[in-house]
Tab-separated table of all heavy atoms in Angstrom:
chain	number	residue	atom	x	y	z
A	6	GLN	N	-17.150	-18.090	46.233
A	6	GLN	CA	-16.946	-19.256	47.099
A	6	GLN	C	-15.577	-19.234	47.763
A	6	GLN	O	-15.319	-19.966	48.713
A	6	GLN	CB	-17.161	-20.562	46.336
A	6	GLN	CG	-16.035	-21.016	45.445
A	6	GLN	CD	-15.994	-20.275	44.107
A	6	GLN	OE1	-16.722	-19.323	43.896
A	6	GLN	NE2	-15.146	-20.725	43.217
A	7	LEU	N	-14.660	-18.378	47.258
A	7	LEU	CA	-13.324	-18.304	47.857
A	7	LEU	C	-13.285	-17.350	49.053
A	7	LEU	O	-12.382	-17.410	49.876
A	7	LEU	CB	-12.288	-17.844	46.814
A	7	LEU	CG	-12.274	-18.593	45.471
A	7	LEU	CD1	-11.097	-18.112	44.627
A	7	LEU	CD2	-12.188	-20.103	45.656
A	10	TRP	N	-12.995	-18.496	52.894
A	10	TRP	CA	-11.683	-19.075	53.243
A	10	TRP	C	-10.636	-17.985	53.365
A	10	TRP	O	-9.816	-17.994	54.270
A	10	TRP	CB	-11.257	-20.111	52.202
A	10	TRP	CG	-12.285	-21.168	52.080
A	10	TRP	CD1	-13.136	-21.376	51.047
A	10	TRP	CD2	-12.626	-22.146	53.078
A	10	TRP	NE1	-13.981	-22.409	51.336
A	10	TRP	CE2	-13.683	-22.904	52.571
A	10	TRP	CE3	-12.128	-22.445	54.344
A	10	TRP	CZ2	-14.261	-23.948	53.274
A	10	TRP	CZ3	-12.699	-23.485	55.055
A	10	TRP	CH2	-13.756	-24.218	54.516
A	11	LYS	N	-10.691	-17.033	52.426
A	11	LYS	CA	-9.732	-15.913	52.488
A	11	LYS	C	-9.962	-15.118	53.774
A	11	LYS	O	-9.019	-14.688	54.428
A	11	LYS	CB	-9.924	-14.983	51.285
A	11	LYS	CG	-9.594	-15.635	49.959
A	11	LYS	CD	-8.134	-15.430	49.660
A	11	LYS	CE	-7.752	-16.029	48.321
A	11	LYS	NZ	-6.310	-16.189	48.199
A	33	VAL	N	-13.077	-22.828	61.154
A	33	VAL	CA	-12.802	-23.440	59.867
A	33	VAL	C	-12.657	-24.935	59.985
A	33	VAL	O	-12.984	-25.682	59.076
A	33	VAL	CB	-11.497	-22.873	59.275
A	33	VAL	CG1	-11.226	-23.464	57.921
A	33	VAL	CG2	-11.582	-21.378	59.184
A	34	PHE	N	-12.165	-25.387	61.115
A	34	PHE	CA	-11.669	-26.751	61.103
A	34	PHE	C	-12.458	-27.742	61.935
A	34	PHE	O	-12.678	-28.861	61.504
A	34	PHE	CB	-10.201	-26.743	61.503
A	34	PHE	CG	-9.421	-25.852	60.584
A	34	PHE	CD1	-9.013	-24.605	60.972
A	34	PHE	CD2	-9.176	-26.256	59.289
A	34	PHE	CE1	-8.339	-23.783	60.096
A	34	PHE	CE2	-8.503	-25.441	58.408
A	34	PHE	CZ	-8.082	-24.188	58.806
A	47	PHE	N	-5.675	-30.981	68.191
A	47	PHE	CA	-6.163	-30.798	66.827
A	47	PHE	C	-5.302	-31.606	65.847
A	47	PHE	O	-5.821	-32.327	64.983
A	47	PHE	CB	-6.096	-29.301	66.526
A	47	PHE	CG	-6.726	-28.886	65.246
A	47	PHE	CD1	-8.053	-29.167	64.988
A	47	PHE	CD2	-6.004	-28.183	64.295
A	47	PHE	CE1	-8.648	-28.759	63.808
A	47	PHE	CE2	-6.586	-27.769	63.119
A	47	PHE	CZ	-7.910	-28.057	62.867
A	54	GLU	N	-6.549	-39.649	61.639
A	54	GLU	CA	-7.322	-39.789	60.390
A	54	GLU	C	-6.423	-40.145	59.211
A	54	GLU	O	-6.782	-40.988	58.391
A	54	GLU	CB	-8.116	-38.516	60.115
A	54	GLU	CG	-9.314	-38.403	61.038
A	54	GLU	CD	-10.064	-37.092	60.859
A	54	GLU	OE1	-10.396	-36.749	59.720
A	54	GLU	OE2	-10.300	-36.413	61.864
A	76	GLU	N	-1.085	-32.746	48.982
A	76	GLU	CA	-2.321	-32.586	49.775
A	76	GLU	C	-3.038	-31.324	49.288
A	76	GLU	O	-2.469	-30.231	49.318
A	76	GLU	CB	-1.986	-32.446	51.275
A	76	GLU	CG	-3.235	-32.350	52.139
A	76	GLU	CD	-2.950	-31.968	53.589
A	76	GLU	OE1	-1.827	-31.571	53.921
A	76	GLU	OE2	-3.899	-32.053	54.395
A	77	ILE	N	-4.282	-31.488	48.867
A	77	ILE	CA	-5.042	-30.337	48.348
A	77	ILE	C	-6.007	-29.855	49.438
A	77	ILE	O	-6.869	-30.618	49.883
A	77	ILE	CB	-5.821	-30.735	47.080
A	77	ILE	CG1	-4.854	-31.266	46.037
A	77	ILE	CG2	-6.610	-29.540	46.541
A	77	ILE	CD1	-5.533	-31.925	44.857
A	78	GLY	N	-5.834	-28.613	49.876
A	78	GLY	CA	-6.672	-28.075	50.955
A	78	GLY	C	-6.091	-28.448	52.307
A	78	GLY	O	-6.754	-29.067	53.138
A	79	CYS	N	-4.836	-28.040	52.558
A	79	CYS	CA	-4.134	-28.466	53.789
A	79	CYS	C	-4.577	-27.662	55.004
A	79	CYS	O	-4.349	-28.078	56.141
A	79	CYS	CB	-2.632	-28.346	53.599
A	79	CYS	SG	-2.111	-26.653	53.242
A	80	GLY	N	-5.181	-26.466	54.780
A	80	GLY	CA	-5.559	-25.624	55.917
A	80	GLY	C	-4.338	-25.284	56.751
A	80	GLY	O	-3.250	-25.017	56.218
A	81	ILE	N	-4.476	-25.331	58.079
A	81	ILE	CA	-3.340	-24.950	58.927
A	81	ILE	C	-2.480	-26.169	59.285
A	81	ILE	O	-1.664	-26.098	60.193
A	81	ILE	CB	-3.771	-24.170	60.180
A	81	ILE	CG1	-4.585	-25.039	61.140
A	81	ILE	CG2	-4.561	-22.925	59.798
A	81	ILE	CD1	-4.820	-24.355	62.496
A	82	GLY	N	-2.661	-27.271	58.572
A	82	GLY	CA	-1.717	-28.377	58.685
A	82	GLY	C	-2.141	-29.505	59.604
A	82	GLY	O	-1.305	-30.307	60.032
A	83	ARG	N	-3.451	-29.588	59.883
A	83	ARG	CA	-3.938	-30.635	60.795
A	83	ARG	C	-3.468	-32.017	60.358
A	83	ARG	O	-2.991	-32.817	61.172
A	83	ARG	CB	-5.481	-30.594	60.822
A	83	ARG	CG	-6.121	-31.522	61.817
A	83	ARG	CD	-7.637	-31.391	61.747
A	83	ARG	NE	-8.198	-32.028	60.581
A	83	ARG	CZ	-8.719	-33.251	60.542
A	83	ARG	NH1	-8.748	-33.966	61.656
A	83	ARG	NH2	-9.212	-33.752	59.434
A	84	MET	N	-3.595	-32.316	59.039
A	84	MET	CA	-3.189	-33.626	58.535
A	84	MET	C	-1.776	-33.592	57.962
A	84	MET	O	-1.134	-34.640	57.810
A	84	MET	CB	-4.155	-34.080	57.445
A	84	MET	CG	-5.592	-34.240	57.925
A	84	MET	SD	-6.681	-34.755	56.578
A	84	MET	CE	-7.330	-36.281	57.244
A	98	CYS	N	-1.042	-27.811	49.573
A	98	CYS	CA	-1.619	-26.768	48.708
A	98	CYS	C	-2.871	-26.193	49.360
A	98	CYS	O	-3.702	-26.949	49.880
A	98	CYS	CB	-2.040	-27.369	47.361
A	98	CYS	SG	-0.771	-28.397	46.589
A	99	ASP	N	-3.002	-24.893	49.342
A	99	ASP	CA	-4.233	-24.266	49.848
A	99	ASP	C	-4.447	-22.928	49.146
A	99	ASP	O	-3.504	-22.278	48.700
A	99	ASP	CB	-4.174	-24.052	51.368
A	99	ASP	CG	-5.558	-23.944	51.988
A	99	ASP	OD1	-6.178	-22.859	51.881
A	99	ASP	OD2	-6.045	-24.944	52.544
A	100	LEU	N	-5.713	-22.582	49.114
A	100	LEU	CA	-6.155	-21.316	48.551
A	100	LEU	C	-5.558	-20.116	49.262
A	100	LEU	O	-5.281	-19.085	48.652
A	100	LEU	CB	-7.670	-21.300	48.790
A	100	LEU	CG	-8.556	-20.281	48.173
A	100	LEU	CD1	-8.440	-20.366	46.679
A	100	LEU	CD2	-9.987	-20.583	48.619
A	101	ASP	N	-5.382	-20.254	50.572
A	101	ASP	CA	-5.087	-19.072	51.361
A	101	ASP	C	-3.656	-19.057	51.889
A	101	ASP	O	-3.225	-19.988	52.569
A	101	ASP	CB	-6.064	-18.998	52.547
A	101	ASP	CG	-5.890	-17.676	53.264
A	101	ASP	OD1	-6.385	-16.662	52.732
A	101	ASP	OD2	-5.205	-17.648	54.304
A	104	PHE	N	-3.243	-19.412	55.718
A	104	PHE	CA	-3.292	-20.804	56.204
A	104	PHE	C	-1.962	-21.512	55.942
A	104	PHE	O	-1.488	-22.299	56.764
A	104	PHE	CB	-4.394	-21.592	55.496
A	104	PHE	CG	-5.793	-21.237	55.937
A	104	PHE	CD1	-6.869	-21.479	55.101
A	104	PHE	CD2	-6.037	-20.690	57.174
A	104	PHE	CE1	-8.155	-21.163	55.486
A	104	PHE	CE2	-7.324	-20.366	57.578
A	104	PHE	CZ	-8.389	-20.607	56.727
A	126	VAL	N	-2.807	-21.955	45.973
A	126	VAL	CA	-3.689	-22.236	44.831
A	126	VAL	C	-4.424	-20.931	44.506
A	126	VAL	O	-5.581	-20.735	44.871
A	126	VAL	CB	-4.686	-23.366	45.170
A	126	VAL	CG1	-5.468	-23.792	43.931
A	126	VAL	CG2	-3.970	-24.565	45.767
A	128	ASP	N	-5.794	-19.391	41.977
A	128	ASP	CA	-7.059	-19.283	41.240
A	128	ASP	C	-8.100	-20.292	41.725
A	128	ASP	O	-9.172	-20.408	41.155
A	128	ASP	CB	-6.817	-19.459	39.731
A	128	ASP	CG	-6.276	-20.846	39.396
A	128	ASP	OD1	-6.054	-21.660	40.317
A	128	ASP	OD2	-6.091	-21.129	38.207
A	129	GLY	N	-7.774	-21.055	42.770
A	129	GLY	CA	-8.739	-22.012	43.320
A	129	GLY	C	-8.904	-23.267	42.477
A	129	GLY	O	-9.798	-24.081	42.746
A	130	ARG	N	-8.042	-23.459	41.463
A	130	ARG	CA	-8.247	-24.646	40.601
A	130	ARG	C	-6.984	-25.215	39.964
A	130	ARG	O	-7.017	-26.313	39.425
A	130	ARG	CB	-9.264	-24.312	39.514
A	130	ARG	CG	-8.878	-23.089	38.678
A	130	ARG	CD	-9.975	-22.699	37.737
A	130	ARG	NE	-10.289	-23.784	36.872
A	130	ARG	CZ	-11.441	-23.970	36.228
A	130	ARG	NH1	-12.401	-23.158	36.359
A	130	ARG	NH2	-11.639	-24.970	35.433
A	132	LEU	N	-2.874	-26.356	40.268
A	132	LEU	CA	-1.809	-26.671	41.224
A	132	LEU	C	-0.460	-26.359	40.588
A	132	LEU	O	-0.137	-26.911	39.534
A	132	LEU	CB	-1.858	-28.158	41.605
A	132	LEU	CG	-3.150	-28.680	42.214
A	132	LEU	CD1	-3.038	-30.177	42.494
A	132	LEU	CD2	-3.506	-27.916	43.493
A	144	SER	N	-6.994	-35.393	49.142
A	144	SER	CA	-7.746	-34.186	49.514
A	144	SER	C	-8.904	-34.557	50.433
A	144	SER	O	-9.664	-35.484	50.133
A	144	SER	CB	-8.299	-33.495	48.261
A	144	SER	OG	-8.948	-32.299	48.639
A	145	TYR	N	-9.028	-33.832	51.538
A	145	TYR	CA	-10.068	-34.128	52.526
A	145	TYR	C	-10.852	-32.856	52.884
A	145	TYR	O	-10.263	-31.810	53.178
A	145	TYR	CB	-9.405	-34.722	53.771
A	145	TYR	CG	-10.380	-35.230	54.809
A	145	TYR	CD1	-11.394	-36.110	54.453
A	145	TYR	CD2	-10.280	-34.842	56.131
A	145	TYR	CE1	-12.288	-36.587	55.396
A	145	TYR	CE2	-11.157	-35.319	57.086
A	145	TYR	CZ	-12.168	-36.196	56.714
A	145	TYR	OH	-13.045	-36.672	57.647
A	146	ILE	N	-12.165	-32.975	52.860
A	146	ILE	CA	-13.098	-31.878	53.192
A	146	ILE	C	-12.707	-30.565	52.512
A	146	ILE	O	-12.679	-29.503	53.148
A	146	ILE	CB	-13.251	-31.611	54.704
A	146	ILE	CG1	-13.008	-32.833	55.556
A	146	ILE	CG2	-14.644	-31.069	55.005
A	146	ILE	CD1	-13.216	-32.589	57.057
A	147	THR	N	-12.421	-30.633	51.246
A	147	THR	CA	-12.040	-29.428	50.504
A	147	THR	C	-12.820	-29.319	49.195
A	147	THR	O	-13.390	-28.270	48.886
A	147	THR	CB	-10.525	-29.447	50.213
A	147	THR	OG1	-9.825	-29.358	51.456
A	147	THR	CG2	-10.101	-28.309	49.302
A	150	HIS	N	-16.209	-27.780	48.925
A	150	HIS	CA	-16.324	-26.336	49.141
A	150	HIS	C	-16.031	-25.533	47.879
A	150	HIS	O	-16.015	-24.304	47.931
A	150	HIS	CB	-15.364	-25.896	50.238
A	150	HIS	CG	-15.628	-26.550	51.559
A	150	HIS	ND1	-16.874	-26.584	52.126
A	150	HIS	CD2	-14.814	-27.204	52.414
A	150	HIS	CE1	-16.811	-27.225	53.286
A	150	HIS	NE2	-15.573	-27.618	53.473
A	151	CYS	N	-15.757	-26.215	46.775
A	151	CYS	CA	-15.395	-25.511	45.536
A	151	CYS	C	-16.589	-25.498	44.576
A	151	CYS	O	-17.432	-26.394	44.621
A	151	CYS	CB	-14.260	-26.257	44.822
A	151	CYS	SG	-12.813	-26.532	45.850
A	155	ASP	N	-14.347	-25.942	39.505
A	155	ASP	CA	-13.059	-25.916	40.210
A	155	ASP	C	-12.764	-27.271	40.850
A	155	ASP	O	-11.625	-27.739	40.823
A	155	ASP	CB	-13.060	-24.837	41.303
A	155	ASP	CG	-13.008	-23.421	40.739
A	155	ASP	OD1	-12.829	-23.275	39.517
A	155	ASP	OD2	-13.143	-22.468	41.525
A	159	LEU	N	-9.598	-29.474	39.975
A	159	LEU	CA	-8.610	-29.905	40.980
A	159	LEU	C	-8.451	-31.426	40.971
A	159	LEU	O	-7.348	-31.950	41.149
A	159	LEU	CB	-9.009	-29.408	42.371
A	159	LEU	CG	-8.782	-27.913	42.626
A	159	LEU	CD1	-9.417	-27.481	43.953
A	159	LEU	CD2	-7.288	-27.560	42.619
A	218	TRP	N	-19.869	-22.068	52.986
A	218	TRP	CA	-18.927	-23.105	52.529
A	218	TRP	C	-19.631	-24.152	51.689
A	218	TRP	O	-18.993	-24.902	50.955
A	218	TRP	CB	-18.317	-23.861	53.702
A	218	TRP	CG	-17.540	-23.053	54.672
A	218	TRP	CD1	-17.034	-21.806	54.483
A	218	TRP	CD2	-17.168	-23.444	55.993
A	218	TRP	NE1	-16.378	-21.403	55.611
A	218	TRP	CE2	-16.440	-22.382	56.552
A	218	TRP	CE3	-17.375	-24.595	56.751
A	218	TRP	CZ2	-15.929	-22.436	57.844
A	218	TRP	CZ3	-16.870	-24.651	58.027
A	218	TRP	CH2	-16.159	-23.583	58.568
B	301	SAM	C1	-12.440	-27.604	55.984
B	301	SAM	S1	-10.799	-27.134	55.607
B	301	SAM	C2	-10.023	-28.742	55.616
B	301	SAM	C3	-8.562	-28.659	55.897
B	301	SAM	C4	-7.845	-30.003	56.040
B	301	SAM	N1	-8.026	-30.820	54.869
B	301	SAM	C5	-8.336	-30.731	57.278
B	301	SAM	O1	-9.033	-31.741	57.151
B	301	SAM	O2	-8.017	-30.278	58.382
B	301	SAM	C6	-10.875	-26.777	53.853
B	301	SAM	C7	-9.596	-26.146	53.327
B	301	SAM	O3	-9.696	-26.103	51.903
B	301	SAM	C8	-9.191	-24.870	51.456
B	301	SAM	N2	-9.807	-24.598	50.147
B	301	SAM	C9	-11.095	-24.255	49.880
B	301	SAM	N3	-11.272	-24.105	48.558
B	301	SAM	C10	-10.076	-24.382	47.970
B	301	SAM	C11	-9.614	-24.402	46.615
B	301	SAM	N4	-10.431	-24.089	45.603
B	301	SAM	N5	-8.328	-24.737	46.366
B	301	SAM	C12	-7.493	-25.045	47.401
B	301	SAM	N6	-7.864	-25.036	48.705
B	301	SAM	C13	-9.140	-24.711	48.981
B	301	SAM	C14	-9.576	-23.867	52.524
B	301	SAM	O4	-8.781	-22.692	52.473
B	301	SAM	C15	-9.371	-24.714	53.783
B	301	SAM	O5	-8.067	-24.581	54.284
Side-chain angles (χ1 to χ4, degrees):
Q6 78 281 8
L7 310 186
W10 303 109
K11 295 271 182 197
V33 182
F34 303 104
F47 188 57
E54 286 176 51
E76 183 190 11
I77 303 169
C79 60
I81 67 170
R83 186 180 75 97
M84 299 179 122
C98 311
D99 203 282
L100 190 59
D101 188 77
F104 287 157
V126 188
D128 63 358
R130 56 187 302 157
L132 302 178
S144 183
Y145 187 52
I146 332 182
T147 294
H150 299 310
C151 305
D155 288 353
L159 285 171
W218 300 342

